[in-house]
């Protein structure tokens, strides 16, 4: 499992790649890199919290716990991260969910009759990069 510095480095790298891809008008991958940047910034922030630590390890541990209800045990890692995000950083939960949704839509072609690269407009990509900056500012100040 990755150390906090690895999450931070990957987050910064993914954000830089997203910004470069936007300049090149590669909008589907702009959004995808922005999503993964946000994910790593968030996971790094969770690792600073001694009650949470590594999200993946905590998720795995709690899934094996007999004290959790069935609905909590059935949460995917993304669902578990979303639950934690709502508890610790509720201001950015919707922005992260939007990044995740659009990224999944373009990666898995849940885009109707368009390709992933046709689905994302420059306006949408810019807005999602602004949302990434909001996420970064919130998790870095807490």
């Amino acid at each position: 499992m990755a150390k906090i510095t690895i999450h931070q480095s990957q987050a910064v790298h993914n954000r830089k790649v997203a910004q470069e891809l936007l300049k090149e008008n590669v909008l589907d991958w702009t959004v995808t890199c922005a999503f993964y940047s946000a994910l790593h910034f968030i996971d790094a922030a969770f690792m600073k919290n001694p009650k949470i630590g590594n999200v993946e390890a905590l998720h795995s541990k709690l899934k094996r716990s007999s004290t959790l209800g069935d609905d909590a045990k059935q949460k995917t890692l993304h669902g578990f991260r979303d639950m934690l995000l709502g508890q610790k950083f509720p201001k950015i939960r919707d922005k992260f969910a939007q990044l995740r949704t659009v990224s999944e839509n373009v990666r898995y072609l849940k885009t109707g009759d368009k390709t992933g690269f046709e689905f994302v407009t420059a306006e949408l990509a810019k807005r999602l990069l602004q949302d990434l900056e909001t996420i970064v500012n919130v998790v870095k100040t807490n």
Side-chain angles (χ1 to χ4, degrees):
M1 299 198 198
K3 296 178 183 178
I4 190 170
T5 55
I6 300 298
H7 281 291
Q8 291 167 331
S9 293
Q10 191 67 53
V12 169
H13 170 76
N14 288 354
R15 180 171 61 176
K16 182 179 177 182
V17 170
Q19 293 164 342
E20 291 300 315
L21 290 172
L22 179 64
K23 292 176 191 173
E24 297 297 323
N25 206 37
V26 184
L27 305 177
D28 51 341
W29 284 103
T30 297
V31 170
T32 298
C33 288
F35 163 70
Y36 282 113
S37 176
L39 183 143
H40 286 291
F41 275 116
I42 289 165
D43 279 2
F46 284 149
M47 289 184 84
K48 293 178 185 176
N49 183 324
K51 292 182 181 180
I52 299 173
N54 184 290
V55 173
E56 190 174 346
L58 180 61
H59 176 251
S60 180
K61 177 183 172 184
L62 292 177
K63 279 189 78 134
R64 293 188 306 269
S65 170
S66 60
T67 60
L68 282 182
D70 285 341
D71 60 329
K73 285 185 178 182
Q74 292 173 7
K75 285 195 182 300
T76 64
L77 179 57
H78 280 303
F80 182 68
R81 184 181 289 107
D82 184 59
M83 181 188 74
L84 291 175
L85 200 54
Q87 293 170 358
K88 301 297 179 188
F89 301 112
K91 292 180 183 178
I92 60 170
R93 184 181 189 183
D94 289 345
K95 291 183 184 310
F96 182 72
Q98 178 80 26
L99 265 171
R100 178 182 170 200
T101 299
V102 175
S103 173
E104 286 178 351
N105 287 348
V106 298
R107 283 182 286 135
Y108 302 115
L109 298 178
K110 300 178 186 177
T111 52
D113 59 352
K114 295 182 178 183
T115 62
F117 62 86
E118 294 170 321
F119 180 78
V120 180
T121 64
E123 241 178 71
L124 176 59
K126 288 175 186 174
R127 183 176 60 77
L128 292 172
L129 278 178
Q130 289 172 344
D131 288 351
L132 170 61
E133 294 309 313
T134 300
I135 290 167
V136 171
N137 290 332
V138 168
V139 299
K140 281 190 168 184
T141 58
N142 288 299

